[in-house]
Amino acid sequence: MEQTQVSTPKFIGGAFIGVAIFSGAIIAMGGQLENADLTPDAPTAEQEARQNLAVQAHRISASSEVLLADAPDSAELAAIHDASVSYEQQLGGVWIPWPSGAPEGYTNPPLSTDPPAEIDEEALLAELQDFSQASLDAAEGLAPADRPTTLSMSLGSRLLGANYAQAVGLDTPMCGAADPVLAGRATTTPEMLNIADSSRQWIETDTARMDPNAREAQVERIAAIDAYIEAVLENDVPDHREAFAAYPSLSEGETYTQVGLENLTGSLITVAADSTSAEEREAVISLSCSLYVTSAERNAALPFPGVESAN
């Protein structure tokens, strides 16, 4: 399946931009700022959600910088920093009414972009969990075209946290409780059935080549995909699956598992973005997260699993 293209969410309203244009016009005409009301319009719920997410992403990048100072060789921390910067940029950045300083009589709103005073591994993981949940919640009020990107950020932050927790030896459940049955009921389409079945076959190919004593997680993953497929079938969706799915062409260093995961999670995100409830989107993201069972698989999917970056 072709990946969804990431497009910058159009969260910054014309009212915000209009304030800057209006102020500049007043100054150009020799007007006095103290005689003009430069108070920005109250943000819409969508604009406020974007701002909150951008602030959280900025704080995560700042927190990871602090921890990188003590662990400069941590690939996991570097990945968190780079991904959070990408997320902030994708969201349009943290909006500040007067970046160069507010005019007399006005103040820029306070922003919680600084890292916590006592930042540590647990605190950073908590920030990633909070960002994932906030991204999931924000999808409810977004335009349909912007939801896949936001859901991808929710999934990506969980994958980042899972890698970091593993690296520092913490048993933090970043993915949440996977529910393949609910995810299947929420994304029941003939196309999803075909995609899930094809992806499972490709992943099974790599799993069969592994040492039988070292593939427990991979076997459990296949069982989860099977449970998802059965849940889709229970909704009487037309079954046009092929007994043997054609294998995809692989790029250098790419695996069938990597392509299968990209195909399946990208499709799940796309379908979940259309009409699912908050509970169903959580089931989709939790299941998608649980399907990445190694750090290499998670790294290959980051920073925007299931969608292509615009950059």
Side-chain angles (χ1 to χ4, degrees), residues 81-157:
H81 175 267
D82 292 346
S84 58
V85 169
S86 295
Y87 295 160
E88 182 183 351
Q89 292 173 344
Q90 183 63 40
L91 290 159
V94 176
W95 183 76
I96 302 173
W98 298 281
S100 300
E104 184 178 353
Y106 295 86
T107 57
N108 279 316
L111 297 172
S112 300
T113 53
D114 293 333
E118 300 296 331
I119 186 66
D120 56 16
E121 291 90 347
E122 291 89 345
L124 180 57
L125 290 172
E127 287 187 336
L128 288 167
Q129 288 176 317
D130 290 344
F131 180 77
S132 177
Q133 186 61 53
S135 299
L136 201 63
D137 294 341
E140 183 73 27
L142 300 184
D146 293 329
R147 290 175 192 160
T149 305
T150 310
L151 294 178
S152 175
M153 291 191 296
S154 177
L155 173 57
S157 55

Side-chain angles (χ1 to χ4, degrees), residues 192-260:
M192 274 306 316
L193 179 61
N194 292 337
I195 289 170
D197 193 69
S198 297
S199 298
R200 179 193 60 184
Q201 292 186 44
W202 301 339
I203 293 170
E204 283 177 333
T205 298
D206 283 343
T207 302
R209 296 169 178 171
M210 296 178 64
D211 181 346
N213 297 318
R215 61 186 185 189
E216 180 180 357
Q218 286 75 8
V219 171
E220 291 178 353
R221 168 170 57 199
I222 292 171
I225 299 175
D226 282 335
Y228 170 83
I229 291 173
E230 289 302 315
V232 173
L233 287 170
E234 287 178 2
N235 284 279
D236 297 324
V237 66
D239 188 353
H240 303 301
R241 291 176 293 168
E242 297 182 5
F244 300 100
Y247 283 107
S249 298
L250 299 179
S251 303
E252 184 177 356
E254 199 171 39
T255 67
Y256 290 125
T257 295
Q258 181 180 335
V259 176

Side-chain angles (χ1 to χ4, degrees), residues 5-28:
Q5 182 73 25
V6 173
S7 60
T8 302
K10 298 178 178 63
F11 290 143
I12 302 179
F16 290 166
I17 300 173
V19 169
I21 295 174
F22 177 67
S23 301
I26 291 291
I27 294 171

Side-chain angles (χ1 to χ4, degrees), residues 132-141 147 151 154 158 177 179 182-183 186 272-286:
S132 177
Q133 186 61 53
S135 299
L136 201 63
D137 294 341
E140 183 73 27
R147 290 175 192 160
L151 294 178
S154 177
R158 297 189 191 198
D179 189 343
L182 179 56
D274 286 339
S275 59
T276 51
S277 67
E279 181 184 16
E280 291 167 339
R281 284 193 292 273
E282 168 61 35
V284 166
I285 297 303
S286 295

